[in-house]
Amino acid sequence: MNRKKKKRTFIVGVLLVISLIGICQYFQARKEATLEPYIKLYLHEQGTIVGMDLEQYIKGVVTAEMPASFDIEALKAQAVCARTYAVKKLIEEHSYPQDADLSDDVNFCQAYASSSPRELAKRIDEAVESTRGEIMLFDSKPIDALYCSTCGGKTESAAAVWGKDVSYLRSVKCDDCTNSPHYQNSQTINNEDLNKLVGDKGKTLNIKILTQTPSGRLKSLSINGHQLDAGTLRTELKLPSSWLEFHPSVNTTVINTKGYGHGVGLCQYGANGMAQRGKDYHQILKKYYSGIVFYQLAY
Ligand SMILES: [Zn+2]
């Protein structure tokens, strides 16, 4: 069987999981569902394609997306997230350059690293191999397994960020990421530079928070009467998150931030903190993704 056919067979197999979840034994008995998918990955910096088995790809994603020094249960949780995310993309037949199945561009998919130091690679191999084929489902479908570095104390809901409620992406309290270097940060910005963001050349600064998400993250603000959305502010000032406070003074403003990333889904440092408290990867994932079930792909 050629690679393209093999991949198509896998996708058909996964679609069967979705429609026939109630009769899993029927699916598992199908010979073609036992084939591990072979994927074509687009390397966006090189502009080339590389092919590999799905589990090999998952090892590269875990390498790139989480420090290999993290607890093994956190690495396993990351492996299940990465696999679920990838399988969802494969089912959706997402379009990437050069007809690739997946991309290493974090703006559209997950990061990927082809190698890591030998000792660290062993830990990643263990995390991926011990969760081989395991994904997360909600309502019989692979979930959108979003994750971020550090939530800062509370994750964000999908509804607050995208305006669309996703049952398993609710805001949850997180007490386990306090050891993250990104838990709290602070930076000082010249008031003139803040004014420039809204095209105002004045030196006086008047900041007002207009809207916030239920978790406390900023949605929009006004600077000297000009409205600005939080995404633009975050991009322009390279702020680690939109969960922030302003402390203006005469010439400068201190901006304190909590967390790093969008805050939706798994908190990676929180996962590591939970693992250090003795929680296993199933417990970790169930905390950050409400109401999910685990499913074993039969390859
Ligand atoms: Zn957290």
Side-chain angles (χ1 to χ4, degrees):
M1 193 181 291
N2 67 34
R3 286 170 177 173
K4 190 140 190 154
K5 204 166 173 187
K6 192 175 167 186
K7 190 192 124 211
R8 199 177 306 128
T9 305
F10 166 74
I11 291 169
V12 169
V14 174
L15 287 169
L16 278 168
V17 173
I18 293 167
S19 57
L20 302 175
I21 195 77
I23 45 173
C24 298
Q25 287 188 337
Y26 167 80
F27 169 75
Q28 283 168 352
R30 291 174 66 89
K31 189 181 164 207
E32 59 267 37
T34 63
L35 294 171
E36 180 180 350
Y38 187 87
I39 60 120
K40 287 188 297 179
L41 175 67
Y42 178 66
L43 304 175
H44 76 289
E45 284 184 358
Q46 297 90 327
T48 56
I49 296 261
V50 60
M52 68 192 83
D53 289 330
L54 179 64
E55 294 296 318
Q56 187 59 40
Y57 164 73
I58 300 303
K59 288 177 182 175
V61 175
V62 177
T63 301
E65 294 279 10
M66 181 176 268
S69 57
F70 272 23
D71 191 284
I72 190 70
E73 293 300 317
L75 291 169
K76 287 181 195 173
Q78 180 66 54
V80 175
C81 284
R83 189 179 298 108
T84 306
Y85 188 97
V87 167
K88 188 170 191 295
K89 293 276 187 200
L90 291 176
I91 292 171
E92 290 169 350
E93 297 195 67
H94 199 87
S95 148
Y96 292 105
Q98 298 181 34
D99 202 25
D101 306 305
L102 298 162
S103 165
D104 70 344
D105 185 343
V106 292
N107 294 309
F108 304 101
C109 198
Q110 306 181 101
Y112 171 84
S114 57
S115 64
S116 61
R118 180 178 282 222
E119 274 311 299
L120 298 178
K122 269 168 64 177
R123 308 187 78 244
I124 288 166
D125 287 353
E126 182 191 340
V128 175
E129 286 164 15
S130 64
T131 62
R132 179 182 170 84
E134 191 170 13
I135 59 170
M136 294 177 281
L137 304 181
F138 185 89
D139 205 11
S140 305
K141 293 176 188 149
I143 70 164
D144 199 1
L146 297 171
Y147 50 89
C148 72
S149 162
T150 307
C151 76
K154 197 186 280 181
T155 68
E156 184 57 284
S157 69
V161 178
W162 296 294
K164 185 181 166 225
D165 185 39
V166 180
S167 300
Y168 52 85
L169 294 175
R170 295 265 157 85
S171 175
V172 297
K173 195 167 179 290
C174 173
D175 296 321
D176 291 291
C177 57
T178 51
N179 288 334
S180 166
H182 311 294
Y183 187 68
Q184 286 185 327
N185 273 297
S186 184
Q187 60 193 79
T188 303
I189 311 285
N190 283 326
N191 289 348
E192 283 181 45
D193 291 335
L194 280 168
N195 283 338
K196 276 184 201 161
L197 293 177
V198 291
D200 194 318
K201 291 177 182 160
K203 288 192 175 177
T204 54
L205 179 74
N206 182 13
I207 292 185
K208 277 190 189 145
I209 288 175
L210 298 180
T211 52
Q212 286 175 297
T213 70
S215 75
R217 289 170 174 86
L218 182 72
K219 284 181 92 170
S220 65
L221 73 158
S222 78
I223 298 177
N224 293 348
H226 305 284
Q227 192 167 334
L228 191 67
D229 69 82
T232 306
L233 179 82
R234 204 187 142 194
T235 305
E236 292 293 327
L237 299 182
K238 298 184 172 56
L239 297 172
S241 86
S242 58
W243 196 356
L244 42 83
E245 286 175 353
F246 298 97
H247 297 281
S249 55
V250 180
N251 296 315
T252 59
T253 295
V254 174
I255 302 179
N256 294 333
T257 51
K258 286 184 186 176
Y260 184 41
H262 50 59
V264 181
L266 178 92
C267 168
Q268 292 174 311
Y269 273 88
N272 196 40
M274 282 184 76
Q276 287 168 341
R277 286 195 291 116
K279 304 295 181 189
D280 67 29
Y281 73 100
H282 282 159
Q283 291 171 308
I284 293 168
L285 293 168
K286 284 190 163 192
K287 175 192 171 127
Y288 294 103
Y289 304 111
S290 319
I292 52 111
V293 295
F294 296 97
Y295 186 78
Q296 188 67 48
L297 291 169
Y299 60 75

